Amino acid sequence: MLPVPTFDAEDWAAVGLTVRLATVTTLLLLLLGTPLAWWLARSRSRLAALVGTLVTLPLVLPPSVLGFYLLLMLAPQGPLGQFVHELGGEAMPFTFSGLVAGSMVYSLPFVVQPLRTALAGLGERPFEVAATLRATPLDRFFSVALPSARQGVLNATVLGFAHTVGEFGVVLMIGGNIPGRTQVLSLRIYEHVEAMEYAQAGWLAGGMLAFSFVVLLLLHARGKPALAG
Amino acid sequence: MWVNGACNGIAVRVARALTGPGSGAVEGCAGRSGTGRSRVWLGGLLWLVAGMAYGDSLKVAVAANFTAPMQKIAAIFEQQTGQHLTLVFGGTGKFYAQIRNGAPFDVLLAADQATAEKLVQQGLAQPDSRFVYATGRLVLWSAMPRRVDAAGNVLRSGDWQHLALANPQLAPYGAAAMQVLDHMGLTAALQPKLVRGEDIGQTWQFVASGNADLGFVAYSQVLRDGKPLPGSLWLVPANWYAPIRQEAVVLAAGKNNPAAGQLMRLLRSDAIRALIRSYGYGT
């Protein structure tokens, strides 16, 4: 058993930052991902196949590839960097907003995929019935689709949050490892390991493990692990 | 054809090493008794384990700042000795932790003296093998021309967003950069603008990609064939930080490997010392 170390302000800042990053990322992804998943689930166009592929890409690409492209895109001379600058925003690399942008790309499939599966599983029938009851398309989405797909929404929320908490490679490449601002928990643990502060690393890593286990256990206990099927 | 090739290749040598000569594992090759298909499978399987057999080359952990010169030195070493070098580049602090935990490196080219000293004290390195192969210089560098002035006053101007440096806790060049900021009385004022690379290699890349306006990197990283890269730089006065004496040391794993001694001798030779100096180091 590792001795209980004293956690310093930077450790706690990393915990707080990680929770904040995962929360903001998940909320934004639900907001953008739900209409996207709705369209992907119902459209049969070639464009949908193309977009569906793009959405799945972060699942298979190594974080170093994502981080590399993000770094080039977000740089002040990069296309996204220029765009943000013209909108009057501050440069994104090494900032919290940059981490959010990177995390949204990284966790996108983990939010969109469960939503899409759940929405596609509803079939046409409920919507035809709703239409005969004169529900508008918007009504059909909010009163029929979302409530019926709530298990998918829950899965998407939990997986998006947990996956963002577990992020490492992308934030290492675009974050700059600034304590309190871009040093998330996974980076803090890495730094402790490299500095051979194994007591701190061990306790923080153990906390991470326990958190991830409990989250996944809750999902499985509900009977529908989103990634298993 | 492919099967025959596999029969003569590394896979078979691995199989013989693992199972002894004449064993069943390579009969498909020796006696041509197996069917073609099973030989293909066998070849594939052996190819999977073949990676484990490349254990005889010299493995050298190299501080990231020494990447460019070491690649040239390795080419010369391989030409002269016919032996292969496996180079791993990274932060000195990280290598220290890895070696403490049994990393199979034969030689360490560190970015400081303290690491080699600690490894010797712990019995993980050869005491008599330590020597300073290079003395590093710190520069303030920007990828933009005219950004950095010849006296480093840009640091006081505050007219920029991010200053990159290597993690001071893990990288000697990062520690030197903090000493420079201390010397200039700027540590507290610039704290919110500091971004930290994992090692000096990542720090360089933050600046080169333009994501950080400025950065403290190794002089060797911004010199190509003796000329500075595009951008602007300030060679920080050497007495503003503790000398970055970079030590090479033979590790416990390399004790009985003659190639380790050969590499150490090569690093001491006049030709190589001249090459090292051409990257801005002192020797």
Side-chain angles (χ1 to χ4, degrees), chain A residues 71 75-76 93-94 172-173 176-177 181 183 190-191 194 196-198, chain B residues 94 96-97 101 161 167 169-170 192 194-196 198 202 205-206 210-211:
Chain A
L71 203 65
F94 316 128
L172 178 73
M173 289 181 74
N177 201 14
R181 280 195 297 152
Q183 189 182 59
Y190 184 55
E191 194 173 272
E194 299 219 308
M196 295 209 294
E197 295 159 351
Y198 289 166
Chain B
K94 184 199 315 214
Y96 174 67
N101 286 291
Q161 271 197 313
N167 191 333
Q169 211 185 341
L170 302 169
L194 300 183
V195 298
R196 300 185 302 171
E198 196 198 337
Q202 196 191 19
Q205 168 253 306
F206 281 157
N211 283 294

PDB file of all heavy atoms in Angstrom, chain A residues 71 75-76 93-94 172-173 176-177 181 183 190-191 194 196-198, chain B residues 94 96-97 101 161 167 169-170 192 194-196 198 202 205-206 210-211:
ATOM      1  N   LEU A  71      -3.157  20.989 -33.602  1.00  0.00           N
ATOM      2  CA  LEU A  71      -2.090  21.959 -33.354  1.00  0.00           C
ATOM      3  C   LEU A  71      -1.866  22.839 -34.585  1.00  0.00           C
ATOM      4  O   LEU A  71      -1.722  24.059 -34.485  1.00  0.00           O
ATOM      5  CB  LEU A  71      -0.805  21.201 -33.002  1.00  0.00           C
ATOM      6  CG  LEU A  71       0.247  21.956 -32.201  1.00  0.00           C
ATOM      7  CD1 LEU A  71      -0.267  22.295 -30.825  1.00  0.00           C
ATOM      8  CD2 LEU A  71       1.495  21.108 -32.077  1.00  0.00           C
ATOM      9  N   ALA A  75      -3.232  26.819 -34.614  1.00  0.00           N
ATOM     10  CA  ALA A  75      -2.134  27.787 -34.534  1.00  0.00           C
ATOM     11  C   ALA A  75      -2.589  29.127 -35.109  1.00  0.00           C
ATOM     12  O   ALA A  75      -3.467  29.169 -35.970  1.00  0.00           O
ATOM     13  CB  ALA A  75      -0.926  27.269 -35.312  1.00  0.00           C
ATOM     14  N   PRO A  76      -1.998  30.247 -34.624  1.00  0.00           N
ATOM     15  CA  PRO A  76      -2.433  31.568 -35.089  1.00  0.00           C
ATOM     16  C   PRO A  76      -2.476  31.687 -36.617  1.00  0.00           C
ATOM     17  O   PRO A  76      -3.362  32.338 -37.152  1.00  0.00           O
ATOM     18  CB  PRO A  76      -1.379  32.501 -34.493  1.00  0.00           C
ATOM     19  CG  PRO A  76      -0.882  31.789 -33.283  1.00  0.00           C
ATOM     20  CD  PRO A  76      -0.978  30.319 -33.588  1.00  0.00           C
ATOM     21  N   PRO A  93      -4.683  27.359 -28.748  1.00  0.00           N
ATOM     22  CA  PRO A  93      -3.769  26.407 -28.108  1.00  0.00           C
ATOM     23  C   PRO A  93      -3.373  26.899 -26.710  1.00  0.00           C
ATOM     24  O   PRO A  93      -3.280  28.108 -26.483  1.00  0.00           O
ATOM     25  CB  PRO A  93      -2.550  26.400 -29.041  1.00  0.00           C
ATOM     26  CG  PRO A  93      -3.038  26.923 -30.316  1.00  0.00           C
ATOM     27  CD  PRO A  93      -4.131  27.881 -29.994  1.00  0.00           C
ATOM     28  N   PHE A  94      -3.168  25.973 -25.818  1.00  0.00           N
ATOM     29  CA  PHE A  94      -2.755  26.265 -24.435  1.00  0.00           C
ATOM     30  C   PHE A  94      -3.849  26.958 -23.634  1.00  0.00           C
ATOM     31  O   PHE A  94      -3.565  27.570 -22.610  1.00  0.00           O
ATOM     32  CB  PHE A  94      -1.482  27.121 -24.391  1.00  0.00           C
ATOM     33  CG  PHE A  94      -0.417  26.680 -25.345  1.00  0.00           C
ATOM     34  CD1 PHE A  94       0.166  27.563 -26.224  1.00  0.00           C
ATOM     35  CD2 PHE A  94      -0.010  25.357 -25.363  1.00  0.00           C
ATOM     36  CE1 PHE A  94       1.145  27.154 -27.107  1.00  0.00           C
ATOM     37  CE2 PHE A  94       0.968  24.924 -26.240  1.00  0.00           C
ATOM     38  CZ  PHE A  94       1.547  25.827 -27.118  1.00  0.00           C
ATOM     39  N   LEU A 172      -2.106  16.507 -24.152  1.00  0.00           N
ATOM     40  CA  LEU A 172      -0.650  16.625 -24.015  1.00  0.00           C
ATOM     41  C   LEU A 172      -0.092  17.466 -25.160  1.00  0.00           C
ATOM     42  O   LEU A 172       0.820  18.269 -24.982  1.00  0.00           O
ATOM     43  CB  LEU A 172      -0.011  15.227 -24.031  1.00  0.00           C
ATOM     44  CG  LEU A 172       1.517  15.180 -23.951  1.00  0.00           C
ATOM     45  CD1 LEU A 172       1.993  15.538 -22.552  1.00  0.00           C
ATOM     46  CD2 LEU A 172       2.049  13.816 -24.331  1.00  0.00           C
ATOM     47  N   MET A 173      -0.675  17.273 -26.367  1.00  0.00           N
ATOM     48  CA  MET A 173      -0.109  17.940 -27.537  1.00  0.00           C
ATOM     49  C   MET A 173      -0.594  19.373 -27.703  1.00  0.00           C
ATOM     50  O   MET A 173       0.135  20.207 -28.230  1.00  0.00           O
ATOM     51  CB  MET A 173      -0.411  17.121 -28.789  1.00  0.00           C
ATOM     52  CG  MET A 173       0.408  15.845 -28.822  1.00  0.00           C
ATOM     53  SD  MET A 173       0.117  14.857 -30.270  1.00  0.00           S
ATOM     54  CE  MET A 173       0.965  15.783 -31.534  1.00  0.00           C
ATOM     55  N   GLY A 176      -0.115  22.281 -23.423  1.00  0.00           N
ATOM     56  CA  GLY A 176       0.992  23.003 -22.825  1.00  0.00           C
ATOM     57  C   GLY A 176       1.159  22.744 -21.329  1.00  0.00           C
ATOM     58  O   GLY A 176       1.988  23.378 -20.681  1.00  0.00           O
ATOM     59  N   ASN A 177       0.352  21.807 -20.771  1.00  0.00           N
ATOM     60  CA  ASN A 177       0.591  21.335 -19.407  1.00  0.00           C
ATOM     61  C   ASN A 177       0.690  22.449 -18.374  1.00  0.00           C
ATOM     62  O   ASN A 177       1.594  22.469 -17.543  1.00  0.00           O
ATOM     63  CB  ASN A 177       1.874  20.487 -19.399  1.00  0.00           C
ATOM     64  CG  ASN A 177       1.945  19.559 -18.208  1.00  0.00           C
ATOM     65  OD1 ASN A 177       0.948  19.341 -17.524  1.00  0.00           O
ATOM     66  ND2 ASN A 177       3.120  19.036 -17.944  1.00  0.00           N
ATOM     67  N   ARG A 181      -4.710  25.392 -15.528  1.00  0.00           N
ATOM     68  CA  ARG A 181      -5.396  25.843 -16.742  1.00  0.00           C
ATOM     69  C   ARG A 181      -5.536  24.771 -17.815  1.00  0.00           C
ATOM     70  O   ARG A 181      -6.590  24.620 -18.417  1.00  0.00           O
ATOM     71  CB  ARG A 181      -4.700  27.074 -17.310  1.00  0.00           C
ATOM     72  CG  ARG A 181      -5.124  28.348 -16.536  1.00  0.00           C
ATOM     73  CD  ARG A 181      -4.756  29.586 -17.287  1.00  0.00           C
ATOM     74  NE  ARG A 181      -3.314  29.651 -17.426  1.00  0.00           N
ATOM     75  CZ  ARG A 181      -2.697  30.252 -18.426  1.00  0.00           C
ATOM     76  NH1 ARG A 181      -3.404  30.803 -19.383  1.00  0.00           N
ATOM     77  NH2 ARG A 181      -1.384  30.295 -18.458  1.00  0.00           N
ATOM     78  N   GLN A 183      -3.588  21.630 -17.323  1.00  0.00           N
ATOM     79  CA  GLN A 183      -3.029  20.376 -16.812  1.00  0.00           C
ATOM     80  C   GLN A 183      -4.144  19.525 -16.221  1.00  0.00           C
ATOM     81  O   GLN A 183      -4.479  19.659 -15.045  1.00  0.00           O
ATOM     82  CB  GLN A 183      -1.956  20.650 -15.756  1.00  0.00           C
ATOM     83  CG  GLN A 183      -1.206  19.398 -15.360  1.00  0.00           C
ATOM     84  CD  GLN A 183      -0.179  19.662 -14.297  1.00  0.00           C
ATOM     85  OE1 GLN A 183      -0.509  20.134 -13.213  1.00  0.00           O
ATOM     86  NE2 GLN A 183       1.067  19.375 -14.582  1.00  0.00           N
ATOM     87  N   TYR A 190       0.856  11.668 -15.186  1.00  0.00           N
ATOM     88  CA  TYR A 190       2.043  11.416 -16.023  1.00  0.00           C
ATOM     89  C   TYR A 190       3.246  12.162 -15.459  1.00  0.00           C
ATOM     90  O   TYR A 190       4.353  11.615 -15.351  1.00  0.00           O
ATOM     91  CB  TYR A 190       1.718  11.878 -17.441  1.00  0.00           C
ATOM     92  CG  TYR A 190       2.786  11.611 -18.480  1.00  0.00           C
ATOM     93  CD1 TYR A 190       3.289  10.339 -18.683  1.00  0.00           C
ATOM     94  CD2 TYR A 190       3.250  12.642 -19.281  1.00  0.00           C
ATOM     95  CE1 TYR A 190       4.236  10.097 -19.655  1.00  0.00           C
ATOM     96  CE2 TYR A 190       4.195  12.414 -20.259  1.00  0.00           C
ATOM     97  CZ  TYR A 190       4.696  11.144 -20.440  1.00  0.00           C
ATOM     98  OH  TYR A 190       5.622  10.916 -21.408  1.00  0.00           O
ATOM     99  N   GLU A 191       3.043  13.421 -15.077  1.00  0.00           N
ATOM    100  CA  GLU A 191       4.142  14.223 -14.549  1.00  0.00           C
ATOM    101  C   GLU A 191       4.667  13.635 -13.239  1.00  0.00           C
ATOM    102  O   GLU A 191       5.875  13.551 -13.024  1.00  0.00           O
ATOM    103  CB  GLU A 191       3.674  15.661 -14.344  1.00  0.00           C
ATOM    104  CG  GLU A 191       4.810  16.629 -14.130  1.00  0.00           C
ATOM    105  CD  GLU A 191       4.314  18.069 -14.096  1.00  0.00           C
ATOM    106  OE1 GLU A 191       4.243  18.669 -15.173  1.00  0.00           O
ATOM    107  OE2 GLU A 191       3.985  18.567 -13.008  1.00  0.00           O
ATOM    108  N   GLU A 194       6.742  10.604 -14.073  1.00  0.00           N
ATOM    109  CA  GLU A 194       8.048  10.933 -14.629  1.00  0.00           C
ATOM    110  C   GLU A 194       8.978  11.496 -13.567  1.00  0.00           C
ATOM    111  O   GLU A 194      10.186  11.321 -13.640  1.00  0.00           O
ATOM    112  CB  GLU A 194       7.880  11.953 -15.743  1.00  0.00           C
ATOM    113  CG  GLU A 194       7.030  11.433 -16.867  1.00  0.00           C
ATOM    114  CD  GLU A 194       7.556  11.853 -18.201  1.00  0.00           C
ATOM    115  OE1 GLU A 194       7.782  13.058 -18.374  1.00  0.00           O
ATOM    116  OE2 GLU A 194       7.741  10.983 -19.043  1.00  0.00           O
ATOM    117  N   MET A 196       8.948  10.529 -10.629  1.00  0.00           N
ATOM    118  CA  MET A 196       9.009   9.421  -9.684  1.00  0.00           C
ATOM    119  C   MET A 196       8.342   9.736  -8.351  1.00  0.00           C
ATOM    120  O   MET A 196       8.774   9.256  -7.296  1.00  0.00           O
ATOM    121  CB  MET A 196      10.452   8.967  -9.490  1.00  0.00           C
ATOM    122  CG  MET A 196      10.998   8.396 -10.790  1.00  0.00           C
ATOM    123  SD  MET A 196      12.241   7.170 -10.579  1.00  0.00           S
ATOM    124  CE  MET A 196      13.505   8.136  -9.863  1.00  0.00           C
ATOM    125  N   GLU A 197       7.306  10.537  -8.398  1.00  0.00           N
ATOM    126  CA  GLU A 197       6.485  10.762  -7.205  1.00  0.00           C
ATOM    127  C   GLU A 197       5.365   9.734  -7.224  1.00  0.00           C
ATOM    128  O   GLU A 197       4.206  10.043  -7.507  1.00  0.00           O
ATOM    129  CB  GLU A 197       5.943  12.199  -7.222  1.00  0.00           C
ATOM    130  CG  GLU A 197       7.045  13.228  -7.113  1.00  0.00           C
ATOM    131  CD  GLU A 197       6.642  14.604  -7.632  1.00  0.00           C
ATOM    132  OE1 GLU A 197       5.567  14.724  -8.229  1.00  0.00           O
ATOM    133  OE2 GLU A 197       7.425  15.548  -7.437  1.00  0.00           O
ATOM    134  N   TYR A 198       5.755   8.483  -6.952  1.00  0.00           N
ATOM    135  CA  TYR A 198       4.825   7.387  -7.172  1.00  0.00           C
ATOM    136  C   TYR A 198       3.663   7.396  -6.186  1.00  0.00           C
ATOM    137  O   TYR A 198       2.604   6.861  -6.496  1.00  0.00           O
ATOM    138  CB  TYR A 198       5.569   6.048  -7.109  1.00  0.00           C
ATOM    139  CG  TYR A 198       6.478   5.813  -8.297  1.00  0.00           C
ATOM    140  CD1 TYR A 198       7.437   4.819  -8.287  1.00  0.00           C
ATOM    141  CD2 TYR A 198       6.352   6.595  -9.444  1.00  0.00           C
ATOM    142  CE1 TYR A 198       8.265   4.598  -9.384  1.00  0.00           C
ATOM    143  CE2 TYR A 198       7.175   6.388 -10.538  1.00  0.00           C
ATOM    144  CZ  TYR A 198       8.137   5.393 -10.500  1.00  0.00           C
ATOM    145  OH  TYR A 198       8.949   5.176 -11.580  1.00  0.00           O
TER     146      TYR A 198
ATOM    147  N   LYS B  94      12.675  11.775 -17.591  1.00  0.00           N
ATOM    148  CA  LYS B  94      11.906  10.584 -17.945  1.00  0.00           C
ATOM    149  C   LYS B  94      12.825   9.368 -18.065  1.00  0.00           C
ATOM    150  O   LYS B  94      12.524   8.292 -17.566  1.00  0.00           O
ATOM    151  CB  LYS B  94      11.185  10.817 -19.264  1.00  0.00           C
ATOM    152  CG  LYS B  94      10.296   9.641 -19.620  1.00  0.00           C
ATOM    153  CD  LYS B  94       9.884   9.528 -21.066  1.00  0.00           C
ATOM    154  CE  LYS B  94       9.417  10.774 -21.726  1.00  0.00           C
ATOM    155  NZ  LYS B  94       8.362  10.517 -22.706  1.00  0.00           N
ATOM    156  N   TYR B  96      15.596   8.882 -16.572  1.00  0.00           N
ATOM    157  CA  TYR B  96      16.032   8.489 -15.233  1.00  0.00           C
ATOM    158  C   TYR B  96      15.002   7.557 -14.600  1.00  0.00           C
ATOM    159  O   TYR B  96      15.345   6.473 -14.101  1.00  0.00           O
ATOM    160  CB  TYR B  96      16.246   9.728 -14.365  1.00  0.00           C
ATOM    161  CG  TYR B  96      16.551   9.410 -12.930  1.00  0.00           C
ATOM    162  CD1 TYR B  96      17.740   8.769 -12.579  1.00  0.00           C
ATOM    163  CD2 TYR B  96      15.650   9.733 -11.916  1.00  0.00           C
ATOM    164  CE1 TYR B  96      18.016   8.459 -11.267  1.00  0.00           C
ATOM    165  CE2 TYR B  96      15.924   9.427 -10.596  1.00  0.00           C
ATOM    166  CZ  TYR B  96      17.102   8.791 -10.272  1.00  0.00           C
ATOM    167  OH  TYR B  96      17.373   8.471  -8.973  1.00  0.00           O
ATOM    168  N   ALA B  97      13.732   7.957 -14.674  1.00  0.00           N
ATOM    169  CA  ALA B  97      12.677   7.126 -14.094  1.00  0.00           C
ATOM    170  C   ALA B  97      12.613   5.774 -14.794  1.00  0.00           C
ATOM    171  O   ALA B  97      12.440   4.732 -14.155  1.00  0.00           O
ATOM    172  CB  ALA B  97      11.327   7.830 -14.208  1.00  0.00           C
ATOM    173  N   ASN B 101      13.560   1.896 -13.360  1.00  0.00           N
ATOM    174  CA  ASN B 101      12.586   0.813 -13.411  1.00  0.00           C
ATOM    175  C   ASN B 101      12.958  -0.266 -14.423  1.00  0.00           C
ATOM    176  O   ASN B 101      12.102  -0.979 -14.923  1.00  0.00           O
ATOM    177  CB  ASN B 101      11.196   1.379 -13.704  1.00  0.00           C
ATOM    178  CG  ASN B 101      10.626   2.090 -12.489  1.00  0.00           C
ATOM    179  OD1 ASN B 101      10.303   1.461 -11.490  1.00  0.00           O
ATOM    180  ND2 ASN B 101      10.550   3.397 -12.551  1.00  0.00           N
ATOM    181  N   GLN B 161       1.800  36.239 -26.253  1.00  0.00           N
ATOM    182  CA  GLN B 161       0.854  35.461 -25.443  1.00  0.00           C
ATOM    183  C   GLN B 161       1.476  34.315 -24.657  1.00  0.00           C
ATOM    184  O   GLN B 161       1.154  34.116 -23.501  1.00  0.00           O
ATOM    185  CB  GLN B 161      -0.227  34.885 -26.351  1.00  0.00           C
ATOM    186  CG  GLN B 161      -1.393  35.839 -26.518  1.00  0.00           C
ATOM    187  CD  GLN B 161      -2.595  35.109 -27.051  1.00  0.00           C
ATOM    188  OE1 GLN B 161      -2.487  34.345 -28.008  1.00  0.00           O
ATOM    189  NE2 GLN B 161      -3.739  35.330 -26.433  1.00  0.00           N
ATOM    190  N   ASN B 167       9.553  21.396 -19.167  1.00  0.00           N
ATOM    191  CA  ASN B 167       9.159  21.201 -17.771  1.00  0.00           C
ATOM    192  C   ASN B 167      10.395  21.264 -16.866  1.00  0.00           C
ATOM    193  O   ASN B 167      11.257  20.397 -16.926  1.00  0.00           O
ATOM    194  CB  ASN B 167       8.477  19.843 -17.633  1.00  0.00           C
ATOM    195  CG  ASN B 167       7.801  19.668 -16.297  1.00  0.00           C
ATOM    196  OD1 ASN B 167       8.215  20.275 -15.317  1.00  0.00           O
ATOM    197  ND2 ASN B 167       6.762  18.874 -16.270  1.00  0.00           N
ATOM    198  N   GLN B 169      10.963  20.701 -13.878  1.00  0.00           N
ATOM    199  CA  GLN B 169      11.122  19.607 -12.935  1.00  0.00           C
ATOM    200  C   GLN B 169      11.824  18.411 -13.589  1.00  0.00           C
ATOM    201  O   GLN B 169      12.451  17.610 -12.911  1.00  0.00           O
ATOM    202  CB  GLN B 169       9.728  19.178 -12.474  1.00  0.00           C
ATOM    203  CG  GLN B 169       9.670  18.648 -11.064  1.00  0.00           C
ATOM    204  CD  GLN B 169       8.267  18.143 -10.742  1.00  0.00           C
ATOM    205  OE1 GLN B 169       7.295  18.492 -11.411  1.00  0.00           O
ATOM    206  NE2 GLN B 169       8.181  17.321  -9.728  1.00  0.00           N
ATOM    207  N   LEU B 170      11.696  18.281 -14.905  1.00  0.00           N
ATOM    208  CA  LEU B 170      12.163  17.077 -15.589  1.00  0.00           C
ATOM    209  C   LEU B 170      13.292  17.335 -16.574  1.00  0.00           C
ATOM    210  O   LEU B 170      14.026  16.421 -16.924  1.00  0.00           O
ATOM    211  CB  LEU B 170      11.003  16.426 -16.358  1.00  0.00           C
ATOM    212  CG  LEU B 170       9.783  16.018 -15.533  1.00  0.00           C
ATOM    213  CD1 LEU B 170       8.627  15.655 -16.438  1.00  0.00           C
ATOM    214  CD2 LEU B 170      10.141  14.835 -14.646  1.00  0.00           C
ATOM    215  N   PRO B 192       1.817  33.384 -15.625  1.00  0.00           N
ATOM    216  CA  PRO B 192       0.582  33.027 -16.345  1.00  0.00           C
ATOM    217  C   PRO B 192       0.782  32.782 -17.842  1.00  0.00           C
ATOM    218  O   PRO B 192      -0.104  32.248 -18.497  1.00  0.00           O
ATOM    219  CB  PRO B 192      -0.326  34.249 -16.142  1.00  0.00           C
ATOM    220  CG  PRO B 192       0.317  35.073 -15.089  1.00  0.00           C
ATOM    221  CD  PRO B 192       1.768  34.753 -15.099  1.00  0.00           C
ATOM    222  N   LEU B 194       3.424  31.089 -19.183  1.00  0.00           N
ATOM    223  CA  LEU B 194       4.321  29.967 -19.453  1.00  0.00           C
ATOM    224  C   LEU B 194       3.555  28.730 -19.905  1.00  0.00           C
ATOM    225  O   LEU B 194       2.552  28.362 -19.303  1.00  0.00           O
ATOM    226  CB  LEU B 194       5.116  29.609 -18.186  1.00  0.00           C
ATOM    227  CG  LEU B 194       5.996  30.702 -17.600  1.00  0.00           C
ATOM    228  CD1 LEU B 194       6.772  30.149 -16.402  1.00  0.00           C
ATOM    229  CD2 LEU B 194       6.949  31.250 -18.641  1.00  0.00           C
ATOM    230  N   VAL B 195       4.007  28.103 -20.985  1.00  0.00           N
ATOM    231  CA  VAL B 195       3.501  26.785 -21.350  1.00  0.00           C
ATOM    232  C   VAL B 195       4.675  25.820 -21.328  1.00  0.00           C
ATOM    233  O   VAL B 195       5.797  26.187 -21.667  1.00  0.00           O
ATOM    234  CB  VAL B 195       2.816  26.771 -22.720  1.00  0.00           C
ATOM    235  CG1 VAL B 195       1.621  27.697 -22.708  1.00  0.00           C
ATOM    236  CG2 VAL B 195       3.758  27.177 -23.826  1.00  0.00           C
ATOM    237  N   ARG B 196       4.403  24.602 -20.876  1.00  0.00           N
ATOM    238  CA  ARG B 196       5.506  23.685 -20.623  1.00  0.00           C
ATOM    239  C   ARG B 196       5.475  22.491 -21.563  1.00  0.00           C
ATOM    240  O   ARG B 196       4.477  21.778 -21.643  1.00  0.00           O
ATOM    241  CB  ARG B 196       5.446  23.208 -19.178  1.00  0.00           C
ATOM    242  CG  ARG B 196       5.555  24.373 -18.200  1.00  0.00           C
ATOM    243  CD  ARG B 196       5.628  23.899 -16.798  1.00  0.00           C
ATOM    244  NE  ARG B 196       4.475  23.096 -16.434  1.00  0.00           N
ATOM    245  CZ  ARG B 196       4.382  22.420 -15.307  1.00  0.00           C
ATOM    246  NH1 ARG B 196       5.380  22.434 -14.453  1.00  0.00           N
ATOM    247  NH2 ARG B 196       3.314  21.720 -15.046  1.00  0.00           N
ATOM    248  N   GLU B 198       6.812  18.757 -22.618  1.00  0.00           N
ATOM    249  CA  GLU B 198       7.194  17.570 -21.868  1.00  0.00           C
ATOM    250  C   GLU B 198       8.722  17.462 -21.820  1.00  0.00           C
ATOM    251  O   GLU B 198       9.302  17.097 -20.815  1.00  0.00           O
ATOM    252  CB  GLU B 198       6.602  16.365 -22.593  1.00  0.00           C
ATOM    253  CG  GLU B 198       6.571  15.132 -21.791  1.00  0.00           C
ATOM    254  CD  GLU B 198       6.407  13.915 -22.681  1.00  0.00           C
ATOM    255  OE1 GLU B 198       5.901  14.046 -23.805  1.00  0.00           O
ATOM    256  OE2 GLU B 198       6.812  12.854 -22.242  1.00  0.00           O
ATOM    257  N   GLN B 202       9.442  18.797 -27.496  1.00  0.00           N
ATOM    258  CA  GLN B 202       8.069  19.300 -27.626  1.00  0.00           C
ATOM    259  C   GLN B 202       8.051  20.819 -27.486  1.00  0.00           C
ATOM    260  O   GLN B 202       7.263  21.508 -28.145  1.00  0.00           O
ATOM    261  CB  GLN B 202       7.152  18.659 -26.576  1.00  0.00           C
ATOM    262  CG  GLN B 202       5.687  18.856 -26.932  1.00  0.00           C
ATOM    263  CD  GLN B 202       4.733  18.475 -25.814  1.00  0.00           C
ATOM    264  OE1 GLN B 202       5.102  18.381 -24.649  1.00  0.00           O
ATOM    265  NE2 GLN B 202       3.489  18.265 -26.174  1.00  0.00           N
ATOM    266  N   GLN B 205       8.827  22.310 -30.734  1.00  0.00           N
ATOM    267  CA  GLN B 205       7.722  22.134 -31.674  1.00  0.00           C
ATOM    268  C   GLN B 205       6.593  23.143 -31.387  1.00  0.00           C
ATOM    269  O   GLN B 205       5.961  23.639 -32.323  1.00  0.00           O
ATOM    270  CB  GLN B 205       7.279  20.672 -31.582  1.00  0.00           C
ATOM    271  CG  GLN B 205       5.992  20.322 -32.244  1.00  0.00           C
ATOM    272  CD  GLN B 205       4.935  20.081 -31.210  1.00  0.00           C
ATOM    273  OE1 GLN B 205       5.107  19.270 -30.293  1.00  0.00           O
ATOM    274  NE2 GLN B 205       3.829  20.777 -31.323  1.00  0.00           N
ATOM    275  N   PHE B 206       6.364  23.487 -30.115  1.00  0.00           N
ATOM    276  CA  PHE B 206       5.385  24.533 -29.781  1.00  0.00           C
ATOM    277  C   PHE B 206       5.765  25.853 -30.460  1.00  0.00           C
ATOM    278  O   PHE B 206       4.917  26.578 -30.971  1.00  0.00           O
ATOM    279  CB  PHE B 206       5.318  24.763 -28.265  1.00  0.00           C
ATOM    280  CG  PHE B 206       4.508  23.737 -27.512  1.00  0.00           C
ATOM    281  CD1 PHE B 206       4.742  23.542 -26.154  1.00  0.00           C
ATOM    282  CD2 PHE B 206       3.512  22.997 -28.128  1.00  0.00           C
ATOM    283  CE1 PHE B 206       3.997  22.612 -25.437  1.00  0.00           C
ATOM    284  CE2 PHE B 206       2.766  22.067 -27.423  1.00  0.00           C
ATOM    285  CZ  PHE B 206       3.014  21.871 -26.074  1.00  0.00           C
ATOM    286  N   GLY B 210       4.400  27.870 -34.267  1.00  0.00           N
ATOM    287  CA  GLY B 210       3.804  29.191 -34.090  1.00  0.00           C
ATOM    288  C   GLY B 210       2.753  29.250 -32.993  1.00  0.00           C
ATOM    289  O   GLY B 210       2.143  30.288 -32.762  1.00  0.00           O
ATOM    290  N   ASN B 211       2.534  28.128 -32.311  1.00  0.00           N
ATOM    291  CA  ASN B 211       1.534  28.132 -31.245  1.00  0.00           C
ATOM    292  C   ASN B 211       2.017  28.923 -30.029  1.00  0.00           C
ATOM    293  O   ASN B 211       1.223  29.547 -29.339  1.00  0.00           O
ATOM    294  CB  ASN B 211       1.183  26.705 -30.848  1.00  0.00           C
ATOM    295  CG  ASN B 211       0.255  26.057 -31.851  1.00  0.00           C
ATOM    296  OD1 ASN B 211      -0.887  26.476 -32.006  1.00  0.00           O
ATOM    297  ND2 ASN B 211       0.754  25.081 -32.582  1.00  0.00           N
TER     298      ASN B 211
END
